[in-house]
Amino acid sequence: MTTALTPEVAPEPVRRQAPVRDRYFDLLRALALFRVVFYHLMGWAWLPVVFPSMGVMFALAGNLMARSLKRPALGVVRGRMRRLLPPLWLLGALGVSGMVLQGWRPGAEGHPFWWFAHLGFWVLPLSDPPYAGTLPGVHGVLGPDWAAELAGPLWYIRAYLWFVLLSPVLLRALKAIPWITVLSPVALAAAFEFGHLQLPGERVPSALTDFSTFGACWILGMAHQQGVLKRVPRYVVPSVAPLVAGLGLWYALTHGFRQGHDLDDIPFAQSLWSLATVLLLLHVSPAWTDWPRALRPFERLITLLNSRAVTVYLWHNLCILAASTLWDQLWRYDVLDEDCPWLLESPWPVLALTWTLICGCVVAFGWAEDLAAGRGPRLWPDGRVRRGSRHRAV
């Protein structure tokens, strides 16, 4: 009896599927970006209370970082830095060139060596990059001291970079002592606030202050990804978070919280309020792999904001300044000055003009984010399926 030998069929290669996007997190990131722009234009102190954007953004970044750290830590950190830095380099190349053209020189910062050395923070922002203290502006386009507005958002890039570098250590600590790790930045914020810890200089204290203010949010994002929050009984978070938020708000109200002096000026209160809000938002955390019906009309807008989050954040301050400067030019027309002063004083047209300029920056500079992510540059990545393309950009 002979048996027929059947040829071995080679198994089909397993295709690696792209990770499913969490649409709830995409929504939170888009809301955070919009609130940042809205607040920096309006200046209403209650806006960071309604939605603490920076805490939310750090929490979402921490969640993503913890998911990525399933791979070797060195490669993950290098990849995060590669995606973060090119948009900053583009901003620095244009911004520093403009400052130099308007007369910024080494003499403005003391010894020329230190001036050139500090310019290195535009390349690797381990500390705040330097900028010109006073500049005349560009007549009719940019108001005076535009460099300060350009550099204003860069503290977030510096803080983000340090969180990325510390994440492998923070993740190990989170696995060993979860809640002590989460609460340690708040304890550091309390030590700064009540004078138990004082450090000389500006660069190190500012970095530690940012860590103490938003570190708990970053670690909470990591804890959510690691399943730490799921091990907490469901009733605990809705019971404890409002108490923590109430303590933070009470401290703010008793320490000068008002228009022009908000939570950002009271780091301890900010740390408590952001911690509580992020805890509640992560506790809710519906698993949206697709958009709910009510949000589908905003799908492309939310996708665009997520695809160009770094560009929007880096350029929005300068867009606000340019929009305000351009709008102020209308005061030169007597008919508007006399008949429509209410319109010229209104911030709403400036907000619309600001977002128009931000859209221009997305088109002009957003490609840096694509190159940083190792993909082909796109002008308007809103997720719309282009004719002839079989894949949907997300």
Side-chain angles (χ1 to χ4, degrees):
M1 182 176 178
T2 60
T3 58
L5 296 177
T6 57
E8 258 186 46
V9 179
E12 293 185 4
V14 179
R15 294 181 179 180
R16 180 178 296 178
Q17 295 183 347
V20 178
R21 292 194 68 95
D22 190 322
R23 300 303 182 182
Y24 175 67
F25 283 2
D26 285 349
L27 174 64
L28 291 181
R29 188 177 294 107
L31 288 174
L33 277 172
F34 185 83
R35 202 282 290 161
V36 166
V37 176
F38 195 71
Y39 166 69
H40 283 166
L41 176 62
M42 300 296 189
W44 296 338
W46 52 267
L47 279 174
V49 176
V50 173
F51 194 80
S53 288
M54 305 317 300
V56 171
M57 290 170 68
F58 280 123
L60 299 179
N63 182 281
L64 183 61
M65 188 69 187
R67 186 175 69 179
S68 299
L69 281 173
K70 295 175 182 177
R71 306 192 302 272
L74 183 60
V76 172
V77 171
R78 186 168 57 243
R80 288 290 156 209
M81 292 176 63
R82 187 189 69 237
R83 298 188 68 160
L84 175 71
L85 295 179
L88 172 67
W89 294 341
L90 178 59
L91 179 80
L94 297 175
V96 172
S97 297
M99 295 179 215
V100 171
L101 288 174
Q102 285 201 317
W104 191 38
R105 295 291 184 270
E109 297 240 345
H111 197 281
F113 172 79
W114 292 114
W115 187 81
F116 285 106
H118 289 163
L119 286 179
F121 291 132
W122 282 100
V123 179
L124 188 63
L126 295 174
S127 187
D128 294 320
Y131 58 91
T134 56
L135 287 176
V138 180
H139 180 68
V141 179
L142 285 176
D145 301 332
W146 60 267
E149 297 297 329
L150 178 78
L154 298 186
W155 74 267
Y156 173 80
I157 304 299
R158 182 247 301 154
Y160 186 102
L161 177 60
W162 275 110
F163 281 131
V164 166
L165 294 174
L166 293 173
S167 283
V169 176
L170 293 174
L171 185 59
R172 287 190 177 186
L174 180 65
K175 293 178 178 179
I177 43 174
W179 290 105
I180 292 178
T181 304
V182 170
L183 296 176
S184 57
V186 179
L188 181 61
F192 277 122
E193 182 69 23
F194 299 112
H196 302 304
L197 181 62
Q198 296 180 350
L199 298 173
E202 295 182 2
R203 294 188 179 276
V204 173
S206 63
L208 286 177
T209 298
D210 292 337
F211 176 81
S212 67
T213 305
F214 299 108
C217 297
W218 183 281
I219 300 170
L220 268 180
M222 302 180 82
H224 177 269
Q225 201 284 329
Q226 292 292 304
V228 174
L229 300 183
K230 292 181 180 179
R231 298 197 290 268
V232 177
R234 295 288 295 176
Y235 65 87
V236 171
V237 170
S239 302
V240 173
L243 298 177
V244 176
L247 177 60
L249 187 58
W250 168 81
Y251 192 85
L253 291 173
T254 56
H255 287 76
F257 178 75
R258 61 183 184 276
Q259 183 82 5
H261 186 76
D262 57 20
L263 287 178
D264 291 336
D265 301 315
I266 315 171
F268 179 60
Q270 176 75 280
S271 68
L272 293 174
W273 184 263
S274 297
L275 168 66
T277 305
V278 166
L279 193 57
L280 285 171
L281 290 173
L282 293 179
H283 176 74
V284 175
S285 194
W288 290 346
T289 56
D290 201 1
W291 290 108
R293 185 181 299 274
L295 292 175
R296 287 174 190 170
F298 307 99
E299 176 182 357
R300 286 169 54 187
L301 174 61
I302 296 173
T303 300
L304 177 67
L305 287 173
N306 278 270
S307 300
R308 291 292 182 259
V310 178
T311 300
V312 171
Y313 186 80
L314 284 177
W315 290 93
H316 80 275
N317 256 18
L318 207 61
C319 290
I320 291 174
L321 179 62
S324 300
T325 306
L326 290 169
W327 189 253
D328 285 344
Q329 301 306 306
L330 297 180
W331 285 100
R332 297 184 302 173
Y333 298 96
D334 294 337
V335 63
L336 294 176
D337 187 8
E338 296 172 1
D339 298 337
C340 305
W342 56 270
L343 178 63
L344 299 181
E345 294 171 355
S346 173
W348 299 104
V350 180
L351 180 64
L353 183 55
T354 295
W355 277 106
T356 302
L357 294 176
I358 288 175
C359 290
C361 289
V362 165
V363 173
F365 310 124
W367 52 266
E369 291 194 61
D370 291 326
L371 295 184
R375 56 177 177 252
R378 299 167 294 172
L379 290 180
W380 198 254
D382 60 357
R384 183 176 59 179
V385 178
R386 308 298 188 220
R387 183 175 299 179
S389 174
R390 296 187 305 171
H391 300 285
R392 188 186 183 102
V394 294

